[in-house]
């Protein structure tokens, strides 16, 4: 079935790095733009980054610009989020999500992963 | 950036009530508005896309309306499974933004 599975979360010290992965299955991964969304404990949803279906376009929230890098490997059906210079305020559940329509510039998110927890603490 | 403002932030209601949640965009987004339901410890679930289109498998008691800058999500008859937090999202551009959320609680 159509599925996204995140991995790579954990506890990390401030200033260190972490790489999240999102493995896709059940659909043609290379045809869909993909996003990362996070949710701090007890807070709402915050969009983090997007990458177009072919990897040619990438955009970031101001809160992570210059520190996080989104990428994808369409041959491995996998989305990544490289997180550098982590801060306490990056502590959150990180979700990957697929847009609804193939090759869409922008659209709703119809498929979400289960989330992976990132805790930044000394 | 486009700001999304949801109201109310909390709503107390009873089973069978008609419930309406409002979402306002800081600039026109056409009909590029989605609604999600989230339960504790779970990922968000898409309910409505393009302002009024019902996602497959979502009960018909959920409906959406609006365009431009003002949108509403309506639950026609609240069911026990509907107590959750609801978020609107503008998807007019690649860089989406979410509303602050509306928690629907049992009265």
């Amino acid at each position: 079935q159509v599925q996204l599975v995140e991995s790579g979360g954990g506890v990390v010290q401030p200033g260190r790095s972490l790489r999240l992965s999102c493995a896709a299955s059940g659909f043609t991964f290379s045809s869909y733009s993909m996003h990362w969304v996070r949710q701090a404990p007890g807070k709402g949803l915050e969009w983090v980054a997007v990458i177009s279906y072919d990897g040619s376009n990438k955009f970031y929230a101001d809160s992570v610009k210059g520190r996080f890098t989104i990428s994808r490997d369409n041959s491995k059906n996998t989305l990544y989020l490289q997180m550098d210079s982590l801060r306490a305020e990056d502590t959150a559940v990180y979700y990957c999500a697929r847009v609804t329509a193939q090759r869409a510039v922008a659209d709703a998110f119809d498929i979400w992963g289960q989330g992976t927890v990132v805790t930044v603490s000394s | 950036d486009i700001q999304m403002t949801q109201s109310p932030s909390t709503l107390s209601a009873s089973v069978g009530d008609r419930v309406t949640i409002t979402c306002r965009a800081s600039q026109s987004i056409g009909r590029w508005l989605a609604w999600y339901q989230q339960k504790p410890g779970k990922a968000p679930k898409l309910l409505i896309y393009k302002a009024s289109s019902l996602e497959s498998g979502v009960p018909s008691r959920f409906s959406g309306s609006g365009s431009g800058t003002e949108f509403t999500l309506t639950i026609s008859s609240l069911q026990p499974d509907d107590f959750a937090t609801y978020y609107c999202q503008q998807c007019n551009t690649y860089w989406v933004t979410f509303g602050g959320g509306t928690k629907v609680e049992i009265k």
Side-chain angles (χ1 to χ4, degrees), chain B residues 45-76:
Chain B
K45 173 188 173 183
L46 178 64
L47 300 175
I48 301 285
Y49 62 96
K50 290 181 183 174
S52 61
S53 296
L54 193 68
E55 174 70 350
S56 177
V58 174
S60 59
R61 62 180 179 273
F62 291 93
S63 64
S65 65
S67 65
T69 61
E70 188 147 343
F71 302 86
T72 59
L73 172 70
T74 299
I75 309 172
S76 60

Side-chain angles (χ1 to χ4, degrees), chain B residues 25-36:
Chain B
S26 60
Q27 65 188 72
S28 178
I29 57 171
R31 294 179 60 81
W32 291 104
L33 192 284
W35 290 97
Y36 300 86

Side-chain angles (χ1 to χ4, degrees), chain A residues 35 39 52 59 105-106 109 113, chain B residues 36 38 42-43 89 91 93-94:
Chain A
H35 293 251
Q39 187 169 36
S52 59
F59 297 96
V105 172
F109 303 165
Chain B
Y36 300 86
Q38 188 180 34
K42 300 294 187 182
Q89 175 208 38
C91 40
T93 60
Y94 264 130

